[in-house]
Amino acid sequence: MTSFDRDSTTDDVLEGIDLAGRRVVVTGAASGLGFESSRALAAHGATVTVLARSEERATGAVESLRALVPGATFEAGVVDLSDLGDIERFAERFLAEHDAFDVLMNNAGVMASPFGRTADGFETQFGTNHLGHFALTARLAPALFAGDTPRVVMLSSAGHSRSDVDLEDPNFERTPYSPWVAYGRSKTANALFARELARRAGASVLSFSVHPGGIVTELGRHLDDELRNDMAEFAKERSMRFGDFGEDGEPLRMRFKSVPAGAATQVWGATEPTLSAHNGAYLADCGLGVLGANPSTNGYMAYLLDDDHAQRLWELSQQLVDIRFLDG
């Protein structure tokens, strides 16, 4: 396995890789990590479908990407991941035009938002980050499974360490709402989805979840001073819990990455050949995640390995979105 680290960029991990002939679909590609992933993959020959929640954002992103990567092939697509009907309509359009594609990068998300509900009544973060991507992946599966060594890359986060997913009350109907707990539940769900997809699909699809690191992007649009302070304090406490201290003896605080370094792990997950031996893995800092290490860096919580929970989440997700996907 090629050696990279937390400071490696998208261009570093793609050096020498030719993606000509591969089609990649990226959600949340109008800005931030999705935009950078689209740019880097296209620069190495991939055809990229750039998905955003509005036509203005999608077409604007494609125009900017074409200016950055002259001669590359981009396609704009519009899908609102908080609306199951919109996901179905997008998938119908996409499948009518494309028989196959090779990589689905489920990058879009919402973080620490005020309490709200999606168009279908789900709690916003669980409904968008997990159920929206579950439904999109299921709807696009006929073309994805027809791709060349297809892969699914799910954006999780160190935020999964906030909370395991709650299968009894996923929509905060009885539990007092916490923006960060809701985010943590959704990011745990993303990782469990990737793991269960790998188990159910076997060698048919490679599936990974990714912690990109701390990056300043539009994902933080809901953060106020209270939420930022809570995030910083939780990261400090997490470092103390995992025995992660700096040279000064103080707990390591959050370290932020550039956008190209933040997008590197998901691009690496979409292209690294040796990852075929690690289907379902959690990735961080352009490497395999480490059980028991600090999630702020490259570690993850043990409940991401709970296969019973992953199977039950899959079954619940099928019921909630009313789609049977790799069932049985």
Side-chain angles (χ1 to χ4, degrees), residues 176-193:
Y177 182 73
S178 160
W180 282 123
V181 170
Y183 182 65
R185 288 183 182 184
S186 73
K187 293 293 101 178
T188 294
N190 289 150
L192 291 176
F193 172 38

Side-chain angles (χ1 to χ4, degrees), residues 65-125:
L65 287 163
R66 284 174 176 157
L68 290 171
V69 194
T73 304
F74 296 99
E75 173 186 79
V78 180
V79 61
D80 182 349
L81 291 165
S82 68
D83 185 333
L84 295 178
D86 198 58
I87 293 168
E88 183 175 9
R89 288 186 290 273
F90 165 76
E92 288 176 351
R93 294 192 302 270
F94 184 88
L95 294 176
E97 298 173 1
H98 305 292
D99 295 328
F101 71 105
D102 309 299
V103 178
L104 175 58
M105 187 175 287
N106 287 325
N107 164 84
V110 59
M111 179 175 74
S113 59
F115 180 76
R117 296 205 179 277
T118 67
D120 304 281
F122 308 123
E123 184 276 314
T124 298
Q125 297 189 75

Side-chain angles (χ1 to χ4, degrees), residues 27-34 51-54 57 79-82 107-114 118 124-125 127-129 133 179-180 183 187 215-228 231 256:
T27 70
S31 64
L33 304 184
L51 300 187
R53 63 181 180 271
S54 72
R57 288 176 62 82
V79 61
D80 182 349
L81 291 165
S82 68
N107 164 84
V110 59
M111 179 175 74
S113 59
T118 67
T124 298
Q125 297 189 75
T128 304
N129 296 348
H133 281 120
W180 282 123
Y183 182 65
K187 293 293 101 178
I215 310 100
V216 178
T217 69
E218 288 186 14
L219 184 65
R221 60 187 172 274
H222 293 294
L223 300 185
D224 55 21
D225 288 344
E226 182 179 354
L227 288 170
R228 287 190 184 91
M231 177 173 63
F256 287 88

Side-chain angles (χ1 to χ4, degrees), residues 134 145 196-202 204 310-312 314-316 318 323-328:
F134 182 94
F145 279 61
E196 182 65 4
L197 175 57
R199 188 189 73 81
R200 290 181 181 239
S204 299
Q311 291 177 51
R312 290 172 59 209
W314 188 285
E315 292 162 2
L316 174 64
Q318 289 189 126
I323 302 172
R324 311 309 296 180
F325 178 35
L326 294 176
D327 193 24

